[in-house]
Structures are given as C-alpha cells and as structure tokens.
C-alpha cells in the first residue's frame, strides 16, 4: 500500500491510474488546435485513441501520423511512446535525474516495486539503464540520420531520425512514412539499425541489469536465462517458418535476392514480437504466415520491457512445466535451478485470463462491427492480437471500427501494455489475506 | 503397469494401443467388398479415415455415409461409434456381461483405472451404467421410430432409428440423411429426442454414477458438482449467445416462429459440445457464431464421456482458479470443498498442450492444403476445432484435404477422443519416479 495525500492505493491501482493519467494528458495535448494540420479535424475519440495507442506503444492508428498531425502533434506522440515504453515510474526517475533532484523516498519505493528490484541501492542500476536507454536512442538517431539526412535534407531528415529512433527503441510502431518501412525493404543498413534498436528496447530492465552486471557478478538470474533462451528459440523458429511460408510473397518478387529475403525474414520474425514496424503490407501474407504472426503477437516480448502479450517468460516456463508434467517430473528446471511454484501458477492463470479476454473481444467485435469482405474473422482476430500484443500491425480493420469497436481495441492495448495482473488486481481489489479456514480437499477428473 | 503375455504396458500405452486396434479392425471391415455400395470404390485412406472418425465419435467424413456404404458398412460404423463412445474398456465389461462370463481380475483392474474408480466393488455400478446406456439407446430407437417409421416405412425407419439413436447417444455425429438433421429443424419432437439422447450420452460415467447413487448417498462428488455446474452455465450462456448472433440466420427466415427458433438455438448450444448433428449448414453461421462455436468445440464435454476437447471440468476449474488467484485467495473452492492442487496443474498443462497442438495443426494445414476461397483460415481453424473436439461439424474443408491433411485431422480426432494425457504419456513414456535431487529454487518475472 502506498499513501498519497492521505489516500491509500495498492501498487497495481496506482500503476493503472498513472497510465490513465498519461493517456488523458496526451489526449488534451493532441486536441490543441496546433497539433492538427490545417484542413484536418481531430475529434475527441481520435485524440483519445491515438494517445492510448502511443502510450501503450502499440501503433494502431485511425489517421495517418505524417499527414494528420503537425510536428507538435508528432512530438506529443513521440513523448507518449517514450513514457509508455520506459514505463511511467521509470519516467519519474528520469525526470528527477534531468532536473538533478534527489529522489523522494516514496518514489524510490514505487520504482523498486514497479521494476521488481530487491533493494533501494539497485536504483543506481536503474539510473544507469535509463542513461543507457537515452544513449541508445541518441545513437539510433545519429545512425538513422546517416541515411535519412541525405535522403530527406537535414531538417526533415533529423526529425525523421529522432521520431523513428524513439518509435523503434520503445517498440511504438508509429511511423511518418504512411506505409511503415516498406520503402526501405531493400536497404540492409536501415533494416539492421531498426532491428538492433527494436531488440535493444525489447529486452526489459531485468535482462539489461543482468547483462550490465555480468562482468562483475559472473552470474545471470534465472529470469534472464529464461527470457534470452525463449527469445532466441522463438526467433530462430520464426525465421525458418517465415522463410517457408512467405517464399512466394508477391510484394518481394523480382525485388530482392535470397540475401535480402533472409534479412526481411529476420525482420518479419523480430517485429511481431512487439515492434509493429513492417517492410510490406501484411494483407499479402500467406494464411500460414498470418496464423503464425497472430501467435507471435499473442506471445509478445520480455516482461518489464515495452512488450505486450502474455510474454516470452510465460510461454517458456509453461513449456518447461508441460514437458516436466508429461515426463512425470515434479519441477520445471533450467540452468541447474528450479522455478518457484507460484511462478508457474501465475503463468498458467495469465494464459487462461488472456485467452478469455481475447475470446470475449473477438465475439463482441464480430457481432457489432461491419466486417471486411475478405477473411472477416481472420482479419478481426489479427487486429485483436495486434492490440493485445501492443504490436500494432494492422490489416486495415482498426480504421473502420465504430465507437464500441474503438473502445474494445483501446481496452486491449491498455491491458496488453499495463499487464493483465496489474489491471485485474486493480479491478478485483485483491486482498492478500487468506480466510482463516480451508475447506476439505477433493480431486476431480481432468482431461 | 499391466502385464499381458509377459509384456508390461503402462495403462496409457495400453489404452492408446487398444483404440488403434479398434480403428485397424474397423478399417479392414470397411474395406470388405460388401461394405461399399455397387458403383462406388473405397480406398484404404477413406476406410481408415472413416474408421478413425467413427471410433473417435467425431463424424467428419470423406464420403456420404448414406450413399457410399451398404447397410453392412453402416452397421460397422454404428458399432465403432458404440465402442468408441462407451470406451473400449467399458466394451470389454459389456462383452463379458453379454456372454455371461465372470470378468477376469486383470480386466477388472483395467476398467477400474480407465474409469477412475476407487475400488473393484464399484464395477457393479459400471455394469448398471452399461445396462442403462443400452436401455437409453433402445428407448431412443423406439422413440425415433415413432416418427421415422411412418416417414420412411418400417424397414428403413427401424434402421434409421437404430443408427441415429447410437449416433446421438454416443455423440458420433454420423447421419444417413446427407444433410444431418436439417430436414427436421421444424420438428420439435425429433429435436427434443435427439437433444435428450445427446445430453444423456455426454454426462460421463462419474456423473451417471453419482446421479444413480444420489438417493442412497445424499451426496455428490466434487467432480459431479463441477461438471454439472460448468455444463449448465455454458449451456445457458450459449443459448443466449446464439439467440443474439443468429437472429438473422438466412436458412431459418420465414420457416419458423420464435418458439422453434428457441428450440433450434438450444440445439445449437448442445451440439458443438461434442455431438455434431446439425439442423442447418454451418457455412451460413455469422462470424460471431462461428467464433463462439469454435470455442465450444475446443472446450468439449465432460471427461469420461464420449466428448473430446479440453473438457468442461478443465475450463470450470481453471475459471475458479483464475478468480481465486486474481482475488488473492489460495484455494479454488466449490460446494464447501477445495480442489487438489495437482488437479489445477493438470488442467493448466492440458490447456497449454492443447493450444500448442492446435496451433501446430493449423500452421501445417494452412501451409500444405489448397484452402477454400472464402474465409480460408477461419474455415480451416473451424475444421481443426471440430476434429479436436470430436464434434465433427464441417464447413466442407475435410472432404478436400490431401493425404497429409487427412493424417493431421485423424491425429486430432484421435488425440481429442483418447485424451491428451493418455496419448502424451504413451509417447513421453512418463516415469513416475523423481530424480533424487532438487535444484535450488528461483523466481522469474511473469506477465
Ligand atoms: K508496437
Ligand atoms: K461427434
């Protein structure tokens, strides 16, 4: 429990309210007259949706970012992605750093709980990670400028470099090109820079912390082991799957040799995990590719990162647990350590609740929206997964949603970013205290 | 471990092999020349697929049951449904009863383990349940004959009554009308008889046993509580959902008033759980209705019944567990009893493994099959769910599958009927003995 102005808030409630406050401020800023280009109009719903999509680093849009918003509006979107990407608690630390004030003790505890840190002294590591984050984005801007500068002239080139470095590192998914990165699909330099930025941003704090301290500690946490191994496994598997399923992708035909096709397949494997920047229109993806991409978006990235979805550690732990159960073993293990049992419960509950949320969302949207002629249910499901995974790859359904549809997608982006447990705990008002009695135990038949 | 002719088999392996043996015998019988009508040809793959579909009480077909198979062939299909529906161990008890021999002790133990019974004396209850099953099917035949007799003449009428009573009670899904029950959609008498037969067959042994002993014991097991409450909840929810999503179903327009529409909605809610008999072509179902039906097929029915899918108790227990976790409580409880923790683990692992199996199946089929023009991925997913849930409602994809596609669907029907745990345990060769050491524990970040 955290006390602010004599009101006591649980941490999940505070985090949920914090995100809502950021979205509200973003909405107001986007509604300012000089945020919208002359000749365009911004309704409250469009501002709210855009602010939610940016804060939840998703990238689904109702209007074209480049032609609808002024540079001021785009700057608001970039800042919202930065706050949403690093997490707003981290942002509090960052602000303190920038204005060189000592962190208040209450803020320290908030940061600590928000980032699952063991003690206050570790906040030193957080400041290091924040500095590193900003450095990477600065470096990203410079490296992108090497291409965008000559291509667009220095003013526009610098602005594009800055915006897309943030969008890539924070896995925000917004772009100023109208067709994401499709213009650059045969440019290996840009694709590599973007890939590195995306991967760097999707590691999450705990992994960064472990990697930074590895030289000193010579030991990685079980979390980092699991996150890196699951991530690498999914990555390799995804490249192979896309090389097979998209061998006939019409948009690439005649444009590239096998080398560029491999680079694009790697990019295809990276981006649905949470980034959402794409090198071609996903409406051309094969049926197998679509279903696999939905799966990747559902899984999402590393917890504590900018990613949505149910997270790689969840899927990794569940796989280890399932194999252990099916082999008749008691414990799921990795790197000579076993997982805490309540972690497994948390992972399994998360999967189940995520499935219910997605099923309900699909059902509501299928019943209330005017569906596309082509593949109505598939396209709808894809958009739901893109919102829940805060991936933001769109097949064009989002732009045509009615009010209820927009609200559902916004709720999915919010849950995807803030986290099922955080949102559910604030709704259910979880009481950690147990009833003083336990009922007698009895088994049932399962499966 | 069970010893047969000096070979030792684990129970899951024996059950898996038993089902495979029944399928093999069925295939050979269907390949006999007098099983196929003159002018038709039956290939090995068609016989194997039909035998698998009948034994796994699914009802997906490559050829029309009425016009392709002779009455002998249809009888084989009916018997396979009976064996598959009651379970082949139960069938051993039944055979012993019929030829009035005492059960061998080894068979008794098999039956006991197969039906999760506590002690050998309870096998008395099993014989009672088997007699009841046969009585219900006999009664079903008589009640159906009251309509089919006058409609088709006594010979054909009796045959149709017999075949469809078995198909309904065993939730087999095969029919001799070519369009399932579409001819009878405005006949409340037949729809009610079919509904009662389907529900009676989908209860499962433990529930029947509890209901039969309730007068004496004045107590229901936790299993029966959970199965009945989950079943009833899903049932009521499903009727409401279908009344909303199918209010504009074109096949019903002008044919029926609100009363018949309600009866059909109830039938629609009952049949995807595992029966697969339908009163209209599901290609006309709305997008929301399709997605909801897929969900119902994935869930399936009660364990120990003729149902496939992940089972109602699994979904019921997971819901109780998720609510408990989200409210910060330790135990999921129902009817003043708490569930064994390993039940929850089993349920969660089952859900996860089922999802992986289905995702892999969809991916393989999407990549290797010629997909339908209309809604390719949705139709494919529907067919996968219909196979896994042993429901057998088809959108026409199955008939057009190539060899690999048929093998995938057959594997899904088999896993759906025999059970994920049974199949997986026989593949993984689970060793109940634990390693003598445990690694140190460590937590990870989930969600
Ligand atoms: K994104
Ligand atoms: K069936």
């Amino acid at each position: 429990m955290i006390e602010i102005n004599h009101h006591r808030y649980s941490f999940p409630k505070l985090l949920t309210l914090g995100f809502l406050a950021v979205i509200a401020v973003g909405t107001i800023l986007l509604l300012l007259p000089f945020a919208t280009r002359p000749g365009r109009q911004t309704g409250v719903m469009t501002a709210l949706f855009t602010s939610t999509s940016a804060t939840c680093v998703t990238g689904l849009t109702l209007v074209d970012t480049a032609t609808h918003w002024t540079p001021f509006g785009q700057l608001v979107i970039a800042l919202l992605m930065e706050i949403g990407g690093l997490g707003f608690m981290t942002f509090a630390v960052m602000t303190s750093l920038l204005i060189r004030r000592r962190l208040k003790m209450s803020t320290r505890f908030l940061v600590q709980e928000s980032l699952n840190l063991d003690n206050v002294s570790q906040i030193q590591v957080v400041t290091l990670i924040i500095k590193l984050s900003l450095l990477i984005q600065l470096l990203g801007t410079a490296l992108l400028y090497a291409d965008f500068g000559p291509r667009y002239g220095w003013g526009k080139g610098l602005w594009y470099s800055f915006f897309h470095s943030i969008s890539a590192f924070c896995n925000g998914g917004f772009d100023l090109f109208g067709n994401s990165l499709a213009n650059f699909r045969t440019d290996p330099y840009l694709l590599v820079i973007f890939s590195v930025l995306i991967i760097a941003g999707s590691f999450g704090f705990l992994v960064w912390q472990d990697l930074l301290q590895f030289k000193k500690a010579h030991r990685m946490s079980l979390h980092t082991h699991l996150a890196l191994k699951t991530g690498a496994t999914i990555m390799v598997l995804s490249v192979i799957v896309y090389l097979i399923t998209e061998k006939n992708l019409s948009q690439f035909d005649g444009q590239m040799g096998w080398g560029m096709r491999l680079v694009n397949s790697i990019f295809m494997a990276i981006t649905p995990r949470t980034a959402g920047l794409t090198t071609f229109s996903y409406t051309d993806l094969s049926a197998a590719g679509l279903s696999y991409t939905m799966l990747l978006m559902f899984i999402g990235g590393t917890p504590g990162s900018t990613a949505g979805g149910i997270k790689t550690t969840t899927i990794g732990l569940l796989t280890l647990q399932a194999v252990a159960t099916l082999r008749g073993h008691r414990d799921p293990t990795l790197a000579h350590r076993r997982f805490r049992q309540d972690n497994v419960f948390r992972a399994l509950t998360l999967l189940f609740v995520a499935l219910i949320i997605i099923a309900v969302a699909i059902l509501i949207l299928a019943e209330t929206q005017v569906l596309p002629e082509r593949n109505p249910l598939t396209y709808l499901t894809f958009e739901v997964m893109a919102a829940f995974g805060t991936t933001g790859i769109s097949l064009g359904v989002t732009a045509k949603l009615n009010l209820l549809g927009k609200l559902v997608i916004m709720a999915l982006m919010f849950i995807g970013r803030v986290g099922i447990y955080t949102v559910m705990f604030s709704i259910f008002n979880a009481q950690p205290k147990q009833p003083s009695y336990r009922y007698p135990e009895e088994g049932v038949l399962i499966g």
Side-chain angles (χ1 to χ4, degrees), chain A:
Chain A
M1 289 287 165
I2 292 139
E3 212 172 302
I4 296 176
N5 296 336
H6 305 289
H7 291 280
R8 301 180 78 224
Y9 297 94
S10 70
F11 178 70
K13 198 163 264 177
L14 205 64
L15 196 62
T16 306
L17 292 175
F19 261 101
L20 287 174
V22 173
I23 291 171
V25 172
T27 307
I28 292 166
L29 291 175
L30 288 175
L31 280 171
L32 294 175
F34 47 90
T36 308
R37 284 191 194 270
R40 299 282 187 134
Q41 295 254 304
T42 303
V44 175
M45 200 58 202
T46 303
L48 180 61
F49 190 94
T50 307
S51 177
T52 307
S53 181
T55 309
C56 300
V57 286
T58 306
L60 290 172
T61 53
L62 300 175
V63 293
D64 179 49
T65 312
T67 54
H68 184 91
W69 305 106
T70 60
F72 170 78
Q74 294 166 1
L75 180 65
V76 170
I77 290 172
L79 289 179
L80 291 175
M81 287 195 287
E82 189 77 48
I83 299 172
L86 295 184
F88 88 106
M89 284 321 302
T90 323
F91 204 69
V93 184
M94 199 159 64
T95 317
S96 307
L97 282 178
L98 288 176
I99 56 176
R100 295 185 179 282
R101 265 201 334 211
R102 261 185 63 80
L103 276 175
K104 266 196 271 175
M105 207 59 185
S106 64
T107 315
R108 279 180 172 248
F109 278 114
L110 264 177
V111 174
Q112 195 180 321
E113 211 170 336
S114 140
L115 301 172
N116 286 49
L117 299 177
D118 291 332
N119 58 61
V120 179
S121 78
Q122 285 199 304
I123 290 186
Q124 309 307 327
V125 181
V126 177
T127 63
L128 182 64
I129 289 167
I130 290 171
K131 282 176 187 164
L132 187 72
S133 297
L134 296 178
L135 187 71
I136 291 174
Q137 290 176 76
L138 210 62
L139 202 66
T141 306
L143 289 169
L144 290 179
Y145 184 75
D147 185 298
F148 288 165
R151 200 189 284 260
Y152 299 107
W154 79 268
K156 204 174 172 186
L158 194 61
W159 179 237
Y160 276 22
S161 304
F162 172 76
F163 186 91
H164 292 101
S165 180
I166 292 180
S167 182
F169 181 81
C170 296
N171 283 221
F174 281 82
D175 70 272
L176 299 178
F177 304 111
N179 60 354
S180 203
L181 305 184
N183 301 340
F184 315 113
R185 70 167 75 119
T186 53
D187 187 332
Y189 174 78
L190 280 179
L191 290 187
V192 168
I193 302 291
F194 274 114
S195 298
V196 171
L197 283 172
I198 290 169
I199 290 175
S202 68
F203 268 1
F205 274 93
L206 276 179
V207 174
W208 267 119
Q209 183 186 339
D210 259 26
L211 293 179
L212 290 176
Q213 294 186 326
F214 186 68
K215 223 173 164 180
K216 207 160 58 184
H218 286 288
R219 183 183 180 284
M220 279 199 290
S221 69
L222 188 56
H223 172 82
T224 302
H225 265 292
L226 182 65
L228 290 181
K229 275 187 190 157
T230 312
T233 308
I234 295 178
M235 178 74 200
V236 171
L237 195 67
S238 303
V239 174
I240 295 170
V241 168
Y242 283 124
L243 277 175
I244 296 170
T245 65
E246 305 317 315
K247 59 184 178 301
N248 299 320
L249 189 67
S250 60
Q251 285 181 60
F252 288 177
D253 275 350
Q255 280 196 25
M256 52 181 80
W258 70 267
M260 273 318 293
R261 209 172 261 276
L262 181 64
V263 172
N264 274 276
S265 295
I266 293 172
F267 196 82
M268 256 187 252
I270 293 172
T271 200
R273 302 280 294 290
T274 183
L277 295 168
T278 59
T279 63
F280 62 99
S281 166
Y282 270 57
T283 47
D284 275 9
L285 212 63
S286 71
L290 275 180
S291 58
Y292 189 76
T293 306
M294 284 191 245
L295 196 65
L296 285 186
M297 295 195 294
F298 178 69
I299 294 173
T302 319
S305 78
T306 57
I310 61 166
K311 309 292 177 340
T312 50
T313 51
T314 308
I315 224 72
L317 180 51
L318 288 178
T319 307
L320 293 174
Q321 171 65 51
V323 172
T325 304
L326 293 175
R327 303 191 70 160
H329 294 170
R330 187 173 39 190
D331 303 318
T333 59
L334 184 73
H336 306 293
R337 275 163 278 174
R338 70 185 153 92
F339 293 92
R340 285 212 333 254
Q341 191 148 35
D342 67 297
N343 279 163
V344 181
F345 262 101
R346 207 178 147 95
L348 290 162
T349 307
L350 185 68
L351 173 70
F352 183 66
V353 175
L355 288 174
I356 290 180
I357 290 173
I358 280 171
V360 170
I362 292 173
L363 206 58
I364 292 175
L365 291 178
E367 184 60 24
T368 60
Q369 304 303 305
V370 179
L371 298 177
E373 279 289 307
R374 199 177 152 216
N375 307 325
L377 206 50
T378 304
Y379 276 31
L380 195 67
T381 307
F382 192 92
E383 217 83 359
V384 164
M385 293 297 189
F388 177 73
T390 69
T391 303
I393 304 177
S394 175
L395 295 176
V397 174
T398 296
K400 289 172 189 144
L401 294 171
N402 65 19
L403 181 65
L404 179 65
K406 284 172 196 159
L407 289 173
V408 170
I409 293 291
M410 277 163 55
L412 285 170
M413 294 193 288
F414 190 77
I415 293 171
R417 177 69 195 106
V418 180
I420 285 182
Y421 274 104
T422 308
V423 174
M424 289 293 148
F425 277 148
S426 27
I427 293 172
F428 275 78
N429 222 340
Q431 302 289 341
K433 70 163 184 252
Q434 300 291 332
S436 55
Y437 55 90
R438 278 182 104 178
Y439 287 124
E441 191 181 73
E442 188 175 328
V444 296
L445 215 57
I446 296 292

